[in-house]
Amino acid sequence: MQTIPVNTNPAYAVTIGPGLLKKCGQMLRSAVPPCRAAVITDSIVGPLYLETVTESLKAAGYAAAAFAFPAGEGSKNLSTLSDILEFLAKERLTRTDCLIALGGGVVGDMAGFAAACYLRGIRCVQLPTTLLSAVDSSVGGKTAIDLKAGKNLAGAFLQPAAVLCDTDCLRTLPPEVFAGGAAEAVKTGVLCDESLFALFEGGTLEADPAEVIARCVAYKAGVVERDEKEQGERKLLNLGHTVGHAIEKCSGYAIPHGHAVAAGLAIMARASARLGWMSPEGLRQNDAERICSTLRLTGLPVSTEYAPEALAEAALADKKRSGDAITIVVPKEIGHCELMNIPVSELLFVIGTGWEA
Ligand code: GLY
């Protein structure tokens, strides 16, 4: 078992290891003393793990209630948020109580945002059950729902009270869901650490996901500690996401987040190489191809059927836009990326340069 501190205000710990759901009640007692705990989950994760979690909570002195919504990005909207808030009110949760997000990225985002809104903010614990939520979305306090205009357009920052990542949950993931999480892990390797990236080239992700999760979380914790509200450095974590969110939106959210981010990362890597933004020396010229090969090896797409014009149009609603400029994340080499502010009018050119059918 590994524990990674996140020194935000308030601080919390991310614990990673096997068998954590069975003992989640005991493990949470120091971060959130026994109270009413509303477990928010979805129609896929609930039948797998809800009973284990509620039994553990009750054994540790919590009063547990549960709310499940239909699984999938299509539920990440105002209607589900409203249902959750009404449920919390019906259960008479107070400010000393807590929400527990049991599931993947959609559950974590939804439950986190409900916790941030209800009574102007109550505590939220994250129990990530997918690789994507383990390596990325359960840590750092971003919560959100989608609006018709685009992804994650209404949300709040609410750091969790604790994160317990039970690596046994990864065993039940369908391969395509596991791959979706791998996209965020590969993204982290491209951002910060060539040796982490090399693990994916060598197939370590499947063999030792706990090691990869711990390294991704440790990197993200440092970024979030330095820039909790995404004023600067944290924008780097959006590598591949401007195009990725556009792909998700164009597909009506039929393409999962991780797969869309993988294609977005590949497009940005090729654009960077072709525009001469990659570090000029030696092997770095091959980095875009290394990134694409690794994504393919992991079962992820490196292209999209949506035309650059459609993607650029969809990206206009992106949060990373500020007036007539948009911040893109540019891979300079594997292990190092930079932020670049470009006029919105140039986004189509950048996407078109990296785009492949
Ligand atoms: N997923 C990007 C972030 O948490 O900032």
Side-chain angles (χ1 to χ4, degrees):
M1 191 165 84
Q2 299 193 58
T3 299
I4 296 164
V6 185
N7 292 311
T8 45
N9 187 12
Y12 56 100
V14 181
T15 308
I16 301 156
L20 302 192
L21 291 187
K22 275 189 239 142
K23 46 189 179 188
C24 67
Q26 271 309 323
M27 292 188 70
L28 289 174
R29 280 176 69 97
S30 57
V32 182
C35 59
R36 286 189 77 71
V39 183
I40 309 298
T41 189
D42 69 23
S43 55
I44 293 177
V45 177
L48 292 171
Y49 304 121
L50 183 57
E51 195 178 335
T52 304
V53 168
T54 51
E55 288 307 309
S56 174
L57 289 169
K58 285 178 189 163
Y62 295 83
F67 180 94
F69 59 83
E73 189 75 29
S75 289
K76 213 176 99 173
N77 54 32
L78 278 168
S79 166
T80 311
L81 177 68
S82 165
D83 291 345
I84 295 173
L85 294 174
E86 294 292 353
F87 169 77
L88 300 176
K90 183 168 84 47
E91 291 293 325
R92 299 192 189 286
L93 262 75
T94 68
R95 281 190 171 145
T96 52
D97 295 323
C98 78
L99 258 76
I100 297 194
L102 171 66
V106 170
V107 170
D109 279 10
M110 281 287 339
F113 192 32
C117 296
Y118 183 68
L119 303 181
R120 300 200 179 94
I122 68 172
R123 290 167 300 185
C124 185
V125 167
Q126 294 279 345
L127 305 181
T129 59
T130 62
L131 183 61
L132 188 144
S133 54
V135 296
D136 186 56
S137 60
S138 66
V139 179
K142 275 191 183 176
T143 75
I145 58 169
D146 303 334
L147 300 182
K148 289 193 185 78
K151 185 159 162 106
N152 293 341
L153 290 186
F157 287 98
L158 178 78
Q159 296 299 334
V163 181
L164 301 182
C165 173
D166 184 340
T167 48
D168 287 339
C169 297
L170 305 178
R171 294 173 204 257
T172 58
L173 292 179
E176 69 278 8
V177 178
F178 189 87
E184 294 282 4
V186 172
K187 174 203 83 174
T188 306
V190 175
L191 277 175
C192 73
D193 185 349
E194 190 167 13
S195 71
L196 174 61
F197 182 87
L199 295 181
F200 308 124
E201 291 177 302
T204 303
L205 179 56
E206 303 244 344
D208 191 1
E211 166 68 12
V212 169
I213 293 167
R215 287 178 69 170
C216 290
V217 168
Y219 167 70
K220 183 164 181 179
V223 173
V224 170
E225 286 166 8
R226 291 187 292 275
D227 180 21
E228 188 174 337
K229 298 278 170 70
E230 199 173 284
Q231 299 302 299
E233 183 184 358
R234 187 167 179 173
K235 292 180 188 170
L236 287 168
L237 301 181
N238 297 324
L239 173 61
H241 281 61
T242 297
V243 177
H245 285 173
I247 292 171
E248 284 184 86
K249 190 176 167 202
C250 287
S251 76
Y253 298 102
I255 298 181
H257 179 67
H259 290 64
V261 165
L265 170 57
I267 287 171
M268 289 310 296
R270 286 192 296 260
S272 183
R274 291 170 185 169
L275 291 168
W277 293 338
M278 285 273 186
S279 298
E281 66 274 358
L283 285 175
R284 295 304 175 190
Q285 294 300 326
N286 294 333
D287 277 5
E289 190 39 48
R290 270 178 81 195
I291 292 168
C292 292
S293 307
T294 304
L295 291 170
R296 274 192 220 99
L297 181 74
T298 320
L300 290 161
V302 294
S303 60
T304 175
E305 68 192 272
Y306 301 106
E309 291 76 11
L311 298 176
E313 175 66 25
L316 290 182
D318 199 280
K319 293 186 298 311
K320 294 165 282 294
R321 181 177 171 188
S322 171
D324 287 336
I326 190 160
T327 307
I328 57 172
V329 188
V330 174
K332 303 291 278 192
E333 59 187 46
I334 291 170
H336 178 63
C337 297
E338 288 179 9
L339 299 174
M340 192 182 283
N341 264 321
I342 60 166
V344 167
S345 55
E346 284 179 19
L347 186 62
L348 173 58
F349 171 71
V350 174
I351 294 174
T353 303
W355 190 87
E356 277 177 14

